[in-house]
């Protein structure tokens, strides 16, 4: 039951042995970055921090092991930083201290196969390589870290379908269990170890899953899964195990992993199901939020420019609107029409508040056909204090 790599969407030739995934054709290079235009003749006076940003720690690693965190400062996201630098990319779990980086790394492929196979890093490097820009968001992203557990990077590695061609899969197998090394000396205050997720064949094919060995052109950093991590485009970060060392082919009776149980609700499951086969794909639904509010003076008038991001979902949309204190939705301007759901798109809105004080800002997708559970629940709501008019 071999995988057919033709099932993986968006393959574009990027050299003799490298494929670039999710290509959008001409006019999609770095020179066309989707910068939000500045206000002509205006003067940027200040950037107004969101209330949650003032209370959260961003840009600094806190905690250890499973509780090690690094939040991206979303106020820094603009056309020049849509690809997040490795040092700034969010961290949900730092490298386990039980992992010895000096030991030779192998990935064992077993389960419902005719015979097990072990692959080392040299074997992975010899396979056709792929590159793709993909955004990841922690399913637990929230106001406690100013929503900074989200970032985008260029990942390079091998399609999981290519790796699975190395084994003969038994007919009863329906899914793949991918697990990573997760042994920490200090117990977590919030999570249990067990970095693993089970994904059905069709879901892997639809996403274009890869085993990544490089991040932004460099070898994977320690805290981002070195030497190998799963990249499952469009799925929450908890479904993308780091430090991958085990792949198993499984059938419909495979139990849900500890990580699937822990993050069931955060990945929009109806319950913490006992069987992995009962889980829906852990995909990010369409979402958006403001990341920066700029105070400008234009022709003697104070204007506040709100800059934000749009990401997630499986369909391209421009039906994005903003609301203040739960009022009527007002369409915003996308700085460039989205060409992919793999990463984020910038948007902006020119705002003239009616009075000083605190406002709540929420976003809405004005298309009932697009699922937006978190937006509907006000999950990404942000508060800002406007000091002067």
């Amino acid at each position: 039951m071999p995988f057919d790599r033709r099932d993986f969407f968006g393959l574009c030739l990027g050299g003799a042995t490298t494929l670039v995934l999710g290509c959008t054709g001409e006019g999609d290079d770095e020179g066309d970055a989707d910068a939000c235009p500045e206000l002509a003749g205006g003067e940027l006076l200040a950037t107004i921090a969101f209330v949650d940003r003032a209370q959260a720690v961003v840009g600094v690693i806190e905690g250890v092991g499973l509780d090690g965190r690094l939040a991206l400062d979303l106020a820094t996201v603009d056309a020049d930083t849509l690809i997040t630098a490795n040092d700034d990319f969010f961290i949900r779990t730092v490298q386990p201290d039980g992992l010895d980086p000096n030991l030779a790394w192998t990935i064992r492929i077993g389960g419902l196969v005719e015979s097990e196979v072990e692959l080392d890093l040299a074997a992975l490097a010899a396979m056709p390589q792929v590159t793709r820009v993909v955004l990841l968001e922690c399913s637990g992203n929230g106001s406690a870290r100013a929503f900074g557990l989200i970032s985008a990077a260029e990942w390079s590695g091998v399609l999981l379908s290519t790796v699975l061609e190395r084994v003969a899969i038994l007919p009863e197998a329906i899914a793949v269990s991918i697990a990573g090394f997760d042994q920490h000396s200090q117990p977590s205050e919030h999570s249990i170890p067990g970095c693993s997720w089970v994904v059905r064949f069709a879901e892997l094919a639809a996403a274009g899953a890869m085993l990544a060995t490089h991040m932004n052109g460099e070898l994977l950093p320690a805290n981002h899964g070195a030497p190998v991590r799963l990249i499952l485009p469009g799925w929450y970060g908890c479904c993308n195990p780091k430090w991958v060392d085990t792949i198993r082919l499984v059938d419909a009776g495979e139990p849900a992993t500890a990580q699937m149980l822990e993050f069931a609700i955060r990945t929009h499951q109806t319950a913490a199901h006992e069987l992995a086969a009962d889980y829906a794909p852990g995909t990010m639904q369409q979402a958006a939020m403001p990341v920066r509010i700029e105070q400008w003076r234009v022709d003697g008038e104070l204007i506040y420019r709100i800059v934000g991001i749009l990401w997630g979902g499986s369909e391209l949309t421009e039906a994005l609107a903003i609301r203040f204190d739960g009022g009527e939705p007002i369409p915003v301007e996308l700085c460039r029409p989205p060409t992919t759901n793999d990463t984020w798109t910038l948007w902006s809105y020119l705002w003239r508040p009616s009075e000083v004080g605190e406002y709540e800002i929420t976003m809405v997708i004005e298309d009932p056909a697009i699922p937006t559970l978190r937006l509907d629940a006000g999950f990404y709501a942000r508060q800002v204090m406007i000091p002067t008019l």
Side-chain angles (χ1 to χ4, degrees), residues 339-350:
T339 58
T340 176
N341 292 99
D342 280 353
T343 187
W344 42 24
T345 296
L346 290 174
W347 57 265
S348 68
Y349 176 75
L350 298 183

Side-chain angles (χ1 to χ4, degrees), residues 134-148:
V134 175
L135 175 145
L136 296 179
E137 181 188 14
C138 175
S139 65
N141 194 16
S143 60
R145 296 189 182 273
F147 299 99

Side-chain angles (χ1 to χ4, degrees), residues 293 303-306 324 349-353 359 361 384 386:
I293 297 185
I303 298 177
Y304 291 88
R305 185 175 76 155
I306 305 174
F324 298 97
Y349 176 75
L350 298 183
W351 181 31
R352 296 172 175 82
Y359 291 82
I361 301 175
V384 64
I386 295 301

Side-chain angles (χ1 to χ4, degrees), residues 350-383:
L350 298 183
W351 181 31
R352 296 172 175 82
S354 59
E355 57 186 27
V356 299
E358 185 170 317
Y359 291 82
E360 180 181 75
I361 301 175
T362 54
M363 309 302 297
V364 61
I365 303 294
E366 296 192 290
D367 184 342
I370 297 178
T372 54
L373 282 176
R374 291 195 175 190
L375 284 185
D376 296 344
F379 186 85
Y380 296 104
R382 308 201 75 175
Q383 288 74 35

Side-chain angles (χ1 to χ4, degrees), residues 72-280:
L72 173 67
D73 183 355
L74 287 176
T76 65
V77 176
D78 58 25
D80 296 325
T81 57
L82 290 177
I83 302 294
T84 312
N86 290 357
D87 289 343
D88 297 328
F89 198 101
F90 87 89
I91 297 170
R92 192 278 180 197
T93 300
V94 298
Q95 185 186 63
D97 54 9
L99 189 154
D100 185 349
N102 298 314
L103 294 180
W105 194 266
T106 59
I107 299 175
R108 179 181 295 274
I109 306 176
L112 296 175
V113 298
E114 290 185 2
S115 58
E116 291 190 350
V117 171
E118 283 194 356
L119 297 178
D120 59 17
L121 297 180
L124 288 179
M127 298 179 187
Q129 303 293 297
V130 298
T131 294
R132 185 168 179 173
V133 174
V134 175
L135 175 145
L136 296 179
E137 181 188 14
C138 175
S139 65
N141 194 16
S143 60
R145 296 189 182 273
F147 299 99
L149 299 184
I150 182 172
S151 303
E154 182 183 79
W155 308 94
S156 300
V158 181
L159 283 175
L160 186 56
S161 63
T162 302
V163 173
L164 293 179
E165 290 173 356
R166 297 296 185 96
V167 295
I169 303 174
L170 297 180
E172 57 266 36
I174 67 164
V176 184
S177 175
I178 305 102
F181 187 95
D182 206 22
Q183 298 178 20
H184 305 266
S185 64
Q186 298 188 24
S188 168
E189 297 180 2
H190 308 288
S191 297
I192 57 176
C195 182
S196 57
W197 209 271
V198 178
V199 189
R200 286 173 282 264
F201 292 154
E203 296 162 355
L204 290 169
M210 73 165 75
L211 293 181
T213 56
H214 289 72
M215 180 180 182
N216 292 331
E218 301 177 357
L219 288 173
L220 277 178
N223 288 329
H224 294 293
V228 183
R229 73 165 301 163
L230 178 70
I231 293 296
L232 194 53
W235 292 50
Y236 283 109
C238 58
C239 309
N240 293 251
K242 299 189 281 188
W243 312 290
V244 171
D245 59 3
T246 305
I247 295 173
R248 290 190 306 111
L249 284 299
V250 301
D251 61 17
E254 180 71 11
T257 69
Q259 189 151 350
M260 296 175 77
L261 293 170
E262 180 179 356
F263 296 103
I265 302 304
R266 294 181 183 179
T267 56
H268 309 307
Q269 309 302 321
T270 56
H273 304 293
E274 293 185 2
L275 295 180
D278 292 332
Y279 279 68

Side-chain angles (χ1 to χ4, degrees), residues 31-84:
D32 292 327
D34 49 348
C36 298
E38 294 191 354
L39 302 184
E43 177 188 4
L44 177 60
L45 302 178
T47 298
I48 310 300
F50 295 100
V51 173
D52 58 63
R53 170 62 178 85
Q55 300 169 342
V57 176
V58 298
V60 178
I61 295 180
E62 288 190 309
V64 297
L66 281 168
D67 297 329
R69 305 284 189 274
L70 170 66
L72 173 67
D73 183 355
L74 287 176
T76 65
V77 176
D78 58 25
D80 296 325
T81 57
L82 290 177
I83 302 294
T84 312

